[in-house]
Amino acid sequence: MSAEVLALDVVAPAVSGFIQGSVYGLLGLGLVLLYKSNRIFNFAQAEFGGVAAFVWIFFDTGRGVLPNLPTPVAVLLGILAAVLVALLTERLVVRPLFNAPKITVVVATAGVLLLLIAVEGFLYGGEAGSFPAIFSGDAVNSGAIRVTNQGVAIVVVLAVLSILAALFFSRSPFGTAILAVSQEATAARLVGISVERISALTWGIAGFLAGVAGILLAGTIGLAAPGSLTGLALVPAFTAAVFGGVTSLPGALVGGIVIGIIESEAQALIPKENLPGAGKVALFVALLLVLLVRPAGLLGKET
Amino acid sequence: MSLLEVEELRTGYGALPVLQGISFAVEEGTTAVVFGLNGAGKTTTINCLAGLLPVWGGEVRFDGQRLSGRSAKAIVEAGLSLAPEGRRVWAGLSVLKNLELGAWSRKDRRGTEETMQQVFGYFPRLEERKDQLAGTLSGGEQQMLAIGRAIMSRPRLLMIDEASLGLSPKLAQTVFEVVSKINDNGTTVIIVEQNVGVLPYADQALIMEKGTLTYDGSGSELERSGELRRTYLGEAVAS
Ligand SMILES: Nc1ncnc2c1ncn2[C@@H]1O[C@H](COP(=O)(O)OP(=O)(O)OP(=O)(O)O)[C@@H](O)[C@H]1O
Ligand SMILES: [Mg+2]
């Protein structure tokens, strides 16, 4: 095997891992945001994205009584649906449990996840179908390395959203208020910040991030089945968040990309005969290592 | 009419009552100091006034307006603000951001900027460290920040819980002097304190014991009466 071929064997999965990892990063960002503001882990985070993906194809294909809408409108409706589901979760599940032990709230979000999967199954049917990619065609296709336009779109979306998130949290009053509530809620109430409204805002943003991630990921994997996004992306997104230290927003993004690359390299380099599902095993090992060696995360500081 | 009127105020935690119905009034432009042993109910009183604890019974009026039962947000908007026990600064935000958020209830940008300059006038140390994360400030600096943040809402009544806790006697004195300056500029002040060094600045003194008020009088009278010695040292009142 020549050095050139070897390099390609390593580079090609790195490229696809980077793209996949960007989606994990978006989901991880939402997880970190909710962890910072409510000190909980949201089991339904990836499935908020699943809801977005289903609503998108329902409108894109004009399923049942629904009108057949242009793709951009359908995508927008999908994202809106994810925001709505996140806001409802906040209002109906999280807020009534404001003074309950955190573990109760975490279990309740697992309940939300099960409910969402059930509703998806009811509306979509049990059998697996397929999601189209929003952007078709390839940006680069040189034999060994292939980058789809969908892949480019994912990386661009991640870059734009991270810049917007950075500006939002460092410059805007509401971004600062979210951080203030997460650090000292009592002080936030004392200066007149409505902790309830900030909580709703935080969930709305998390729903938006999940919606964007869900539609991009669904279009990349193609597979459409109730709960498939949770199965595919929840654990990697969680690992991404832990990589970054669970409270660091940039850490979640970096963590997502690292996780995506590790998963994809393991998948490509370890032969299937030796270790089936090597990608997920590598994720698990990476997660364990981080927890053992740097429990505070790679970046290891609250940002 | 007094600026703050408290009548038969009762509150507590869960099912546990703490305040047994306390009544007092604070005049506009004065400084009132609340003394009392640990667990007497000082923080409970002041947190209840700020809207952090529900009012179980009785009434609070501020400038004639009923405040009891209203949210913390409504109360700070009405002009009453609190530098809480334990300081509670936002450790991961800069000094500047802490102060800016203190003005959350205000809409006037220019006025807010003026108040910020005023805070820096009171506490030059905060201006020197305005870009530093609040969590890396010393305890004394954090206390200055907590007071500064409470001033940023431009309150008519400023409440400070444990102003001098953990401060060196010299710094405590500095904080008292600043509070007296704030008071001279027209803000009414209620300050919870264990340090009797605050007495020269007190127009009014209150003593709390087991959820009730046992003394309400002028600061200078308190100094003469020996009531403080009885409260803190358990000695009989010298007559
Ligand atoms: N969160 C709480 N839950 C239950 N009881 C509480 C709570 N906070 C205070 N208490 C009780 O209320 C009573 C009054 O407490 P408070 O904090 O008002 O005292 P304090 O006068 O401020 O004391 P210190 O000088 O120690 O700050 C105490 O008996 C205390 O145990
Ligand atoms: Mg106290």
Side-chain angles (χ1 to χ4, degrees), chain A residues 170 173-174 176-177 179-180 183-184 186-194 197, chain B residues 50-52 72-73 76 84 88-93 97 101-102 104-105 149:
Chain A
S170 64
F174 280 98
T176 316
L179 297 178
Q183 290 169 21
E184 268 295 350
T186 303
R189 290 174 65 194
L190 281 174
V191 300
I193 295 172
S194 162
R197 250 192 257 167
Chain B
L52 292 178
K73 180 171 156 51
V76 68
R88 296 185 183 274
V89 297
W90 293 294
L93 299 179
K97 284 250 166 78
L101 281 177
W104 184 266
S105 59
R149 179 178 64 189

PDB file of all heavy atoms in Angstrom, chain A residues 170 173-174 176-177 179-180 183-184 186-194 197, chain B residues 50-52 72-73 76 84 88-93 97 101-102 104-105 149:
ATOM      1  N   SER A 170     -21.962  36.557  23.941  1.00  0.00           N
ATOM      2  CA  SER A 170     -21.007  37.549  24.439  1.00  0.00           C
ATOM      3  C   SER A 170     -21.547  38.973  24.314  1.00  0.00           C
ATOM      4  O   SER A 170     -21.156  39.854  25.076  1.00  0.00           O
ATOM      5  CB  SER A 170     -19.674  37.418  23.705  1.00  0.00           C
ATOM      6  OG  SER A 170     -19.858  37.709  22.340  1.00  0.00           O
ATOM      7  N   PRO A 173     -27.928  41.169  25.332  1.00  0.00           N
ATOM      8  CA  PRO A 173     -28.386  41.130  26.724  1.00  0.00           C
ATOM      9  C   PRO A 173     -29.056  39.799  27.065  1.00  0.00           C
ATOM     10  O   PRO A 173     -28.867  39.279  28.168  1.00  0.00           O
ATOM     11  CB  PRO A 173     -29.403  42.265  26.807  1.00  0.00           C
ATOM     12  CG  PRO A 173     -29.240  43.080  25.584  1.00  0.00           C
ATOM     13  CD  PRO A 173     -28.498  42.288  24.563  1.00  0.00           C
ATOM     14  N   PHE A 174     -29.825  39.231  26.137  1.00  0.00           N
ATOM     15  CA  PHE A 174     -30.520  37.996  26.469  1.00  0.00           C
ATOM     16  C   PHE A 174     -29.541  36.825  26.592  1.00  0.00           C
ATOM     17  O   PHE A 174     -29.718  35.958  27.438  1.00  0.00           O
ATOM     18  CB  PHE A 174     -31.620  37.689  25.444  1.00  0.00           C
ATOM     19  CG  PHE A 174     -32.861  38.479  25.711  1.00  0.00           C
ATOM     20  CD1 PHE A 174     -33.124  39.652  25.016  1.00  0.00           C
ATOM     21  CD2 PHE A 174     -33.748  38.074  26.700  1.00  0.00           C
ATOM     22  CE1 PHE A 174     -34.260  40.392  25.293  1.00  0.00           C
ATOM     23  CE2 PHE A 174     -34.883  38.815  26.987  1.00  0.00           C
ATOM     24  CZ  PHE A 174     -35.142  39.980  26.279  1.00  0.00           C
ATOM     25  N   THR A 176     -26.456  37.129  27.642  1.00  0.00           N
ATOM     26  CA  THR A 176     -25.829  37.327  28.947  1.00  0.00           C
ATOM     27  C   THR A 176     -26.783  36.917  30.062  1.00  0.00           C
ATOM     28  O   THR A 176     -26.366  36.312  31.054  1.00  0.00           O
ATOM     29  CB  THR A 176     -25.444  38.809  29.131  1.00  0.00           C
ATOM     30  OG1 THR A 176     -24.850  39.273  27.929  1.00  0.00           O
ATOM     31  CG2 THR A 176     -24.470  38.971  30.273  1.00  0.00           C
ATOM     32  N   ALA A 177     -28.075  37.200  29.872  1.00  0.00           N
ATOM     33  CA  ALA A 177     -29.053  36.853  30.910  1.00  0.00           C
ATOM     34  C   ALA A 177     -29.151  35.334  31.073  1.00  0.00           C
ATOM     35  O   ALA A 177     -29.297  34.839  32.191  1.00  0.00           O
ATOM     36  CB  ALA A 177     -30.421  37.438  30.563  1.00  0.00           C
ATOM     37  N   LEU A 179     -26.723  33.224  30.650  1.00  0.00           N
ATOM     38  CA  LEU A 179     -25.546  32.838  31.436  1.00  0.00           C
ATOM     39  C   LEU A 179     -25.742  33.211  32.901  1.00  0.00           C
ATOM     40  O   LEU A 179     -25.413  32.449  33.807  1.00  0.00           O
ATOM     41  CB  LEU A 179     -24.290  33.518  30.887  1.00  0.00           C
ATOM     42  CG  LEU A 179     -23.897  33.137  29.445  1.00  0.00           C
ATOM     43  CD1 LEU A 179     -22.664  33.900  29.005  1.00  0.00           C
ATOM     44  CD2 LEU A 179     -23.669  31.638  29.345  1.00  0.00           C
ATOM     45  N   ALA A 180     -26.313  34.402  33.145  1.00  0.00           N
ATOM     46  CA  ALA A 180     -26.522  34.861  34.519  1.00  0.00           C
ATOM     47  C   ALA A 180     -27.463  33.915  35.255  1.00  0.00           C
ATOM     48  O   ALA A 180     -27.203  33.532  36.402  1.00  0.00           O
ATOM     49  CB  ALA A 180     -27.079  36.287  34.523  1.00  0.00           C
ATOM     50  N   GLN A 183     -25.691  30.789  36.194  1.00  0.00           N
ATOM     51  CA  GLN A 183     -24.659  30.885  37.235  1.00  0.00           C
ATOM     52  C   GLN A 183     -25.241  31.206  38.613  1.00  0.00           C
ATOM     53  O   GLN A 183     -24.776  30.678  39.618  1.00  0.00           O
ATOM     54  CB  GLN A 183     -23.625  31.950  36.849  1.00  0.00           C
ATOM     55  CG  GLN A 183     -22.774  31.516  35.667  1.00  0.00           C
ATOM     56  CD  GLN A 183     -21.938  32.652  35.115  1.00  0.00           C
ATOM     57  OE1 GLN A 183     -21.680  33.639  35.797  1.00  0.00           O
ATOM     58  NE2 GLN A 183     -21.516  32.517  33.874  1.00  0.00           N
ATOM     59  N   GLU A 184     -26.204  32.105  38.678  1.00  0.00           N
ATOM     60  CA  GLU A 184     -26.784  32.519  39.956  1.00  0.00           C
ATOM     61  C   GLU A 184     -28.214  32.954  39.694  1.00  0.00           C
ATOM     62  O   GLU A 184     -28.486  34.131  39.438  1.00  0.00           O
ATOM     63  CB  GLU A 184     -26.006  33.709  40.535  1.00  0.00           C
ATOM     64  CG  GLU A 184     -24.877  33.357  41.463  1.00  0.00           C
ATOM     65  CD  GLU A 184     -25.316  32.692  42.758  1.00  0.00           C
ATOM     66  OE1 GLU A 184     -26.525  32.662  43.056  1.00  0.00           O
ATOM     67  OE2 GLU A 184     -24.433  32.213  43.469  1.00  0.00           O
ATOM     68  N   THR A 186     -30.741  33.262  41.679  1.00  0.00           N
ATOM     69  CA  THR A 186     -31.307  34.181  42.662  1.00  0.00           C
ATOM     70  C   THR A 186     -30.936  35.617  42.329  1.00  0.00           C
ATOM     71  O   THR A 186     -31.780  36.520  42.356  1.00  0.00           O
ATOM     72  CB  THR A 186     -30.787  33.833  44.069  1.00  0.00           C
ATOM     73  OG1 THR A 186     -31.122  32.482  44.345  1.00  0.00           O
ATOM     74  CG2 THR A 186     -31.404  34.734  45.117  1.00  0.00           C
ATOM     75  N   ALA A 187     -29.661  35.816  42.001  1.00  0.00           N
ATOM     76  CA  ALA A 187     -29.223  37.169  41.653  1.00  0.00           C
ATOM     77  C   ALA A 187     -29.938  37.656  40.398  1.00  0.00           C
ATOM     78  O   ALA A 187     -30.294  38.831  40.284  1.00  0.00           O
ATOM     79  CB  ALA A 187     -27.710  37.202  41.459  1.00  0.00           C
ATOM     80  N   ALA A 188     -30.166  36.735  39.464  1.00  0.00           N
ATOM     81  CA  ALA A 188     -30.875  37.118  38.240  1.00  0.00           C
ATOM     82  C   ALA A 188     -32.283  37.601  38.571  1.00  0.00           C
ATOM     83  O   ALA A 188     -32.738  38.630  38.061  1.00  0.00           O
ATOM     84  CB  ALA A 188     -30.924  35.935  37.273  1.00  0.00           C
ATOM     85  N   ARG A 189     -32.967  36.890  39.455  1.00  0.00           N
ATOM     86  CA  ARG A 189     -34.314  37.328  39.852  1.00  0.00           C
ATOM     87  C   ARG A 189     -34.257  38.701  40.517  1.00  0.00           C
ATOM     88  O   ARG A 189     -35.128  39.540  40.308  1.00  0.00           O
ATOM     89  CB  ARG A 189     -34.946  36.309  40.803  1.00  0.00           C
ATOM     90  CG  ARG A 189     -35.321  35.002  40.119  1.00  0.00           C
ATOM     91  CD  ARG A 189     -35.796  33.994  41.130  1.00  0.00           C
ATOM     92  NE  ARG A 189     -37.038  34.399  41.794  1.00  0.00           N
ATOM     93  CZ  ARG A 189     -37.511  33.837  42.894  1.00  0.00           C
ATOM     94  NH1 ARG A 189     -36.859  32.856  43.455  1.00  0.00           N
ATOM     95  NH2 ARG A 189     -38.630  34.261  43.428  1.00  0.00           N
ATOM     96  N   LEU A 190     -33.217  38.902  41.336  1.00  0.00           N
ATOM     97  CA  LEU A 190     -33.118  40.161  42.075  1.00  0.00           C
ATOM     98  C   LEU A 190     -32.960  41.379  41.159  1.00  0.00           C
ATOM     99  O   LEU A 190     -33.406  42.463  41.493  1.00  0.00           O
ATOM    100  CB  LEU A 190     -31.950  40.117  43.062  1.00  0.00           C
ATOM    101  CG  LEU A 190     -32.215  39.351  44.358  1.00  0.00           C
ATOM    102  CD1 LEU A 190     -30.955  39.259  45.191  1.00  0.00           C
ATOM    103  CD2 LEU A 190     -33.352  40.006  45.145  1.00  0.00           C
ATOM    104  N   VAL A 191     -32.288  41.206  40.023  1.00  0.00           N
ATOM    105  CA  VAL A 191     -32.146  42.369  39.136  1.00  0.00           C
ATOM    106  C   VAL A 191     -33.340  42.491  38.181  1.00  0.00           C
ATOM    107  O   VAL A 191     -33.381  43.404  37.368  1.00  0.00           O
ATOM    108  CB  VAL A 191     -30.827  42.358  38.320  1.00  0.00           C
ATOM    109  CG1 VAL A 191     -29.630  42.363  39.246  1.00  0.00           C
ATOM    110  CG2 VAL A 191     -30.774  41.191  37.357  1.00  0.00           C
ATOM    111  N   GLY A 192     -34.299  41.570  38.307  1.00  0.00           N
ATOM    112  CA  GLY A 192     -35.528  41.709  37.530  1.00  0.00           C
ATOM    113  C   GLY A 192     -35.588  40.846  36.286  1.00  0.00           C
ATOM    114  O   GLY A 192     -36.450  41.026  35.429  1.00  0.00           O
ATOM    115  N   ILE A 193     -34.647  39.906  36.143  1.00  0.00           N
ATOM    116  CA  ILE A 193     -34.702  38.982  35.013  1.00  0.00           C
ATOM    117  C   ILE A 193     -35.769  37.942  35.313  1.00  0.00           C
ATOM    118  O   ILE A 193     -35.802  37.391  36.409  1.00  0.00           O
ATOM    119  CB  ILE A 193     -33.333  38.295  34.805  1.00  0.00           C
ATOM    120  CG1 ILE A 193     -32.286  39.325  34.400  1.00  0.00           C
ATOM    121  CG2 ILE A 193     -33.433  37.188  33.760  1.00  0.00           C
ATOM    122  CD1 ILE A 193     -30.863  38.784  34.346  1.00  0.00           C
ATOM    123  N   SER A 194     -36.662  37.697  34.361  1.00  0.00           N
ATOM    124  CA  SER A 194     -37.668  36.659  34.566  1.00  0.00           C
ATOM    125  C   SER A 194     -37.043  35.304  34.258  1.00  0.00           C
ATOM    126  O   SER A 194     -36.792  34.967  33.108  1.00  0.00           O
ATOM    127  CB  SER A 194     -38.882  36.905  33.667  1.00  0.00           C
ATOM    128  OG  SER A 194     -39.626  35.720  33.565  1.00  0.00           O
ATOM    129  N   ARG A 197     -39.008  33.207  31.790  1.00  0.00           N
ATOM    130  CA  ARG A 197     -38.901  33.570  30.380  1.00  0.00           C
ATOM    131  C   ARG A 197     -37.550  33.157  29.802  1.00  0.00           C
ATOM    132  O   ARG A 197     -37.452  32.726  28.660  1.00  0.00           O
ATOM    133  CB  ARG A 197     -39.096  35.078  30.210  1.00  0.00           C
ATOM    134  CG  ARG A 197     -40.425  35.364  29.513  1.00  0.00           C
ATOM    135  CD  ARG A 197     -40.496  36.792  29.090  1.00  0.00           C
ATOM    136  NE  ARG A 197     -41.350  37.521  30.003  1.00  0.00           N
ATOM    137  CZ  ARG A 197     -41.428  38.845  30.044  1.00  0.00           C
ATOM    138  NH1 ARG A 197     -40.675  39.575  29.259  1.00  0.00           N
ATOM    139  NH2 ARG A 197     -42.248  39.426  30.881  1.00  0.00           N
TER     140      ARG A 197
ATOM    141  N   ALA B  50     -37.687  41.616  49.278  1.00  0.00           N
ATOM    142  CA  ALA B  50     -37.206  41.681  47.892  1.00  0.00           C
ATOM    143  C   ALA B  50     -37.995  40.767  46.959  1.00  0.00           C
ATOM    144  O   ALA B  50     -37.734  40.747  45.758  1.00  0.00           O
ATOM    145  CB  ALA B  50     -35.717  41.326  47.840  1.00  0.00           C
ATOM    146  N   GLY B  51     -38.921  40.001  47.514  1.00  0.00           N
ATOM    147  CA  GLY B  51     -39.751  39.157  46.659  1.00  0.00           C
ATOM    148  C   GLY B  51     -39.190  37.774  46.417  1.00  0.00           C
ATOM    149  O   GLY B  51     -39.675  37.047  45.555  1.00  0.00           O
ATOM    150  N   LEU B  52     -38.146  37.390  47.180  1.00  0.00           N
ATOM    151  CA  LEU B  52     -37.576  36.054  46.994  1.00  0.00           C
ATOM    152  C   LEU B  52     -38.368  35.005  47.769  1.00  0.00           C
ATOM    153  O   LEU B  52     -38.293  33.820  47.469  1.00  0.00           O
ATOM    154  CB  LEU B  52     -36.111  36.016  47.444  1.00  0.00           C
ATOM    155  CG  LEU B  52     -35.114  36.822  46.606  1.00  0.00           C
ATOM    156  CD1 LEU B  52     -33.721  36.729  47.211  1.00  0.00           C
ATOM    157  CD2 LEU B  52     -35.102  36.338  45.168  1.00  0.00           C
ATOM    158  N   ALA B  72     -40.257  39.424  42.383  1.00  0.00           N
ATOM    159  CA  ALA B  72     -38.971  40.099  42.571  1.00  0.00           C
ATOM    160  C   ALA B  72     -38.761  41.152  41.481  1.00  0.00           C
ATOM    161  O   ALA B  72     -38.261  42.246  41.729  1.00  0.00           O
ATOM    162  CB  ALA B  72     -37.842  39.076  42.557  1.00  0.00           C
ATOM    163  N   LYS B  73     -39.168  40.791  40.274  1.00  0.00           N
ATOM    164  CA  LYS B  73     -39.027  41.702  39.131  1.00  0.00           C
ATOM    165  C   LYS B  73     -39.842  42.988  39.355  1.00  0.00           C
ATOM    166  O   LYS B  73     -39.331  44.095  39.197  1.00  0.00           O
ATOM    167  CB  LYS B  73     -39.527  40.957  37.893  1.00  0.00           C
ATOM    168  CG  LYS B  73     -39.477  41.692  36.592  1.00  0.00           C
ATOM    169  CD  LYS B  73     -39.796  40.669  35.487  1.00  0.00           C
ATOM    170  CE  LYS B  73     -40.360  41.274  34.215  1.00  0.00           C
ATOM    171  NZ  LYS B  73     -39.609  42.364  33.647  1.00  0.00           N
ATOM    172  N   VAL B  76     -38.135  45.180  42.124  1.00  0.00           N
ATOM    173  CA  VAL B  76     -36.962  45.967  41.737  1.00  0.00           C
ATOM    174  C   VAL B  76     -37.392  47.090  40.797  1.00  0.00           C
ATOM    175  O   VAL B  76     -36.856  48.216  40.846  1.00  0.00           O
ATOM    176  CB  VAL B  76     -35.839  45.083  41.131  1.00  0.00           C
ATOM    177  CG1 VAL B  76     -36.191  44.493  39.807  1.00  0.00           C
ATOM    178  CG2 VAL B  76     -34.542  45.872  41.015  1.00  0.00           C
ATOM    179  N   PRO B  84     -27.610  40.692  48.105  1.00  0.00           N
ATOM    180  CA  PRO B  84     -28.020  39.572  48.956  1.00  0.00           C
ATOM    181  C   PRO B  84     -26.890  38.999  49.804  1.00  0.00           C
ATOM    182  O   PRO B  84     -25.713  39.236  49.541  1.00  0.00           O
ATOM    183  CB  PRO B  84     -28.497  38.532  47.949  1.00  0.00           C
ATOM    184  CG  PRO B  84     -27.664  38.783  46.734  1.00  0.00           C
ATOM    185  CD  PRO B  84     -27.420  40.273  46.705  1.00  0.00           C
ATOM    186  N   ARG B  88     -23.418  36.553  45.847  1.00  0.00           N
ATOM    187  CA  ARG B  88     -24.049  36.010  44.641  1.00  0.00           C
ATOM    188  C   ARG B  88     -23.749  36.807  43.383  1.00  0.00           C
ATOM    189  O   ARG B  88     -24.641  37.121  42.591  1.00  0.00           O
ATOM    190  CB  ARG B  88     -25.564  35.903  44.825  1.00  0.00           C
ATOM    191  CG  ARG B  88     -25.925  34.920  45.910  1.00  0.00           C
ATOM    192  CD  ARG B  88     -27.415  34.698  46.025  1.00  0.00           C
ATOM    193  NE  ARG B  88     -27.751  33.806  47.112  1.00  0.00           N
ATOM    194  CZ  ARG B  88     -27.776  32.488  47.001  1.00  0.00           C
ATOM    195  NH1 ARG B  88     -27.501  31.910  45.855  1.00  0.00           N
ATOM    196  NH2 ARG B  88     -28.076  31.740  48.040  1.00  0.00           N
ATOM    197  N   VAL B  89     -22.476  37.126  43.173  1.00  0.00           N
ATOM    198  CA  VAL B  89     -22.106  37.743  41.894  1.00  0.00           C
ATOM    199  C   VAL B  89     -22.071  36.639  40.837  1.00  0.00           C
ATOM    200  O   VAL B  89     -21.998  35.456  41.160  1.00  0.00           O
ATOM    201  CB  VAL B  89     -20.736  38.450  41.973  1.00  0.00           C
ATOM    202  CG1 VAL B  89     -20.789  39.582  42.972  1.00  0.00           C
ATOM    203  CG2 VAL B  89     -19.631  37.470  42.325  1.00  0.00           C
ATOM    204  N   TRP B  90     -22.141  37.020  39.566  1.00  0.00           N
ATOM    205  CA  TRP B  90     -22.050  36.021  38.493  1.00  0.00           C
ATOM    206  C   TRP B  90     -20.580  35.773  38.213  1.00  0.00           C
ATOM    207  O   TRP B  90     -19.919  36.559  37.510  1.00  0.00           O
ATOM    208  CB  TRP B  90     -22.786  36.510  37.251  1.00  0.00           C
ATOM    209  CG  TRP B  90     -24.258  36.607  37.486  1.00  0.00           C
ATOM    210  CD1 TRP B  90     -25.114  35.575  37.730  1.00  0.00           C
ATOM    211  CD2 TRP B  90     -25.068  37.795  37.540  1.00  0.00           C
ATOM    212  NE1 TRP B  90     -26.397  36.047  37.916  1.00  0.00           N
ATOM    213  CE2 TRP B  90     -26.393  37.396  37.814  1.00  0.00           C
ATOM    214  CE3 TRP B  90     -24.803  39.155  37.383  1.00  0.00           C
ATOM    215  CZ2 TRP B  90     -27.436  38.298  37.915  1.00  0.00           C
ATOM    216  CZ3 TRP B  90     -25.837  40.055  37.491  1.00  0.00           C
ATOM    217  CH2 TRP B  90     -27.138  39.622  37.761  1.00  0.00           C
ATOM    218  N   ALA B  91     -20.100  34.652  38.744  1.00  0.00           N
ATOM    219  CA  ALA B  91     -18.663  34.389  38.757  1.00  0.00           C
ATOM    220  C   ALA B  91     -18.060  34.312  37.355  1.00  0.00           C
ATOM    221  O   ALA B  91     -16.927  34.729  37.141  1.00  0.00           O
ATOM    222  CB  ALA B  91     -18.385  33.084  39.504  1.00  0.00           C
ATOM    223  N   GLY B  92     -18.830  33.808  36.392  1.00  0.00           N
ATOM    224  CA  GLY B  92     -18.288  33.609  35.048  1.00  0.00           C
ATOM    225  C   GLY B  92     -18.461  34.811  34.138  1.00  0.00           C
ATOM    226  O   GLY B  92     -18.139  34.742  32.960  1.00  0.00           O
ATOM    227  N   LEU B  93     -18.992  35.908  34.675  1.00  0.00           N
ATOM    228  CA  LEU B  93     -19.155  37.125  33.869  1.00  0.00           C
ATOM    229  C   LEU B  93     -18.218  38.208  34.395  1.00  0.00           C
ATOM    230  O   LEU B  93     -17.850  38.210  35.564  1.00  0.00           O
ATOM    231  CB  LEU B  93     -20.602  37.627  33.930  1.00  0.00           C
ATOM    232  CG  LEU B  93     -21.688  36.683  33.392  1.00  0.00           C
ATOM    233  CD1 LEU B  93     -23.067  37.322  33.541  1.00  0.00           C
ATOM    234  CD2 LEU B  93     -21.435  36.345  31.932  1.00  0.00           C
ATOM    235  N   LYS B  97     -20.100  43.278  33.024  1.00  0.00           N
ATOM    236  CA  LYS B  97     -21.355  42.587  32.688  1.00  0.00           C
ATOM    237  C   LYS B  97     -22.231  42.456  33.930  1.00  0.00           C
ATOM    238  O   LYS B  97     -23.446  42.608  33.868  1.00  0.00           O
ATOM    239  CB  LYS B  97     -21.069  41.185  32.129  1.00  0.00           C
ATOM    240  CG  LYS B  97     -20.576  41.179  30.699  1.00  0.00           C
ATOM    241  CD  LYS B  97     -21.645  40.597  29.777  1.00  0.00           C
ATOM    242  CE  LYS B  97     -21.356  40.882  28.315  1.00  0.00           C
ATOM    243  NZ  LYS B  97     -20.331  39.985  27.775  1.00  0.00           N
ATOM    244  N   LEU B 101     -25.938  44.036  33.992  1.00  0.00           N
ATOM    245  CA  LEU B 101     -27.146  43.256  34.275  1.00  0.00           C
ATOM    246  C   LEU B 101     -27.902  43.820  35.479  1.00  0.00           C
ATOM    247  O   LEU B 101     -29.107  43.651  35.587  1.00  0.00           O
ATOM    248  CB  LEU B 101     -26.793  41.787  34.527  1.00  0.00           C
ATOM    249  CG  LEU B 101     -26.529  40.933  33.289  1.00  0.00           C
ATOM    250  CD1 LEU B 101     -26.123  39.529  33.701  1.00  0.00           C
ATOM    251  CD2 LEU B 101     -27.757  40.875  32.395  1.00  0.00           C
ATOM    252  N   GLY B 102     -27.161  44.482  36.362  1.00  0.00           N
ATOM    253  CA  GLY B 102     -27.821  45.115  37.506  1.00  0.00           C
ATOM    254  C   GLY B 102     -28.859  46.129  37.058  1.00  0.00           C
ATOM    255  O   GLY B 102     -29.823  46.416  37.767  1.00  0.00           O
ATOM    256  N   TRP B 104     -30.833  45.746  34.518  1.00  0.00           N
ATOM    257  CA  TRP B 104     -31.794  45.037  33.648  1.00  0.00           C
ATOM    258  C   TRP B 104     -33.184  45.669  33.680  1.00  0.00           C
ATOM    259  O   TRP B 104     -33.873  45.738  32.672  1.00  0.00           O
ATOM    260  CB  TRP B 104     -31.881  43.576  34.083  1.00  0.00           C
ATOM    261  CG  TRP B 104     -32.753  42.720  33.219  1.00  0.00           C
ATOM    262  CD1 TRP B 104     -34.070  42.432  33.411  1.00  0.00           C
ATOM    263  CD2 TRP B 104     -32.363  42.033  32.014  1.00  0.00           C
ATOM    264  NE1 TRP B 104     -34.527  41.598  32.413  1.00  0.00           N
ATOM    265  CE2 TRP B 104     -33.506  41.345  31.547  1.00  0.00           C
ATOM    266  CE3 TRP B 104     -31.169  41.933  31.290  1.00  0.00           C
ATOM    267  CZ2 TRP B 104     -33.491  40.561  30.391  1.00  0.00           C
ATOM    268  CZ3 TRP B 104     -31.155  41.146  30.142  1.00  0.00           C
ATOM    269  CH2 TRP B 104     -32.303  40.484  29.705  1.00  0.00           C
ATOM    270  N   SER B 105     -33.606  46.147  34.861  1.00  0.00           N
ATOM    271  CA  SER B 105     -34.964  46.673  35.003  1.00  0.00           C
ATOM    272  C   SER B 105     -35.112  48.079  34.430  1.00  0.00           C
ATOM    273  O   SER B 105     -36.189  48.641  34.429  1.00  0.00           O
ATOM    274  CB  SER B 105     -35.364  46.672  36.477  1.00  0.00           C
ATOM    275  OG  SER B 105     -34.446  47.471  37.209  1.00  0.00           O
ATOM    276  N   ARG B 149     -23.818  46.433  41.925  1.00  0.00           N
ATOM    277  CA  ARG B 149     -24.863  45.865  41.068  1.00  0.00           C
ATOM    278  C   ARG B 149     -26.250  46.270  41.569  1.00  0.00           C
ATOM    279  O   ARG B 149     -27.137  46.600  40.774  1.00  0.00           O
ATOM    280  CB  ARG B 149     -24.730  44.340  41.058  1.00  0.00           C
ATOM    281  CG  ARG B 149     -25.775  43.647  40.215  1.00  0.00           C
ATOM    282  CD  ARG B 149     -25.567  42.157  40.210  1.00  0.00           C
ATOM    283  NE  ARG B 149     -25.738  41.559  41.529  1.00  0.00           N
ATOM    284  CZ  ARG B 149     -25.444  40.304  41.843  1.00  0.00           C
ATOM    285  NH1 ARG B 149     -24.938  39.513  40.916  1.00  0.00           N
ATOM    286  NH2 ARG B 149     -25.627  39.836  43.055  1.00  0.00           N
TER     287      ARG B 149
END
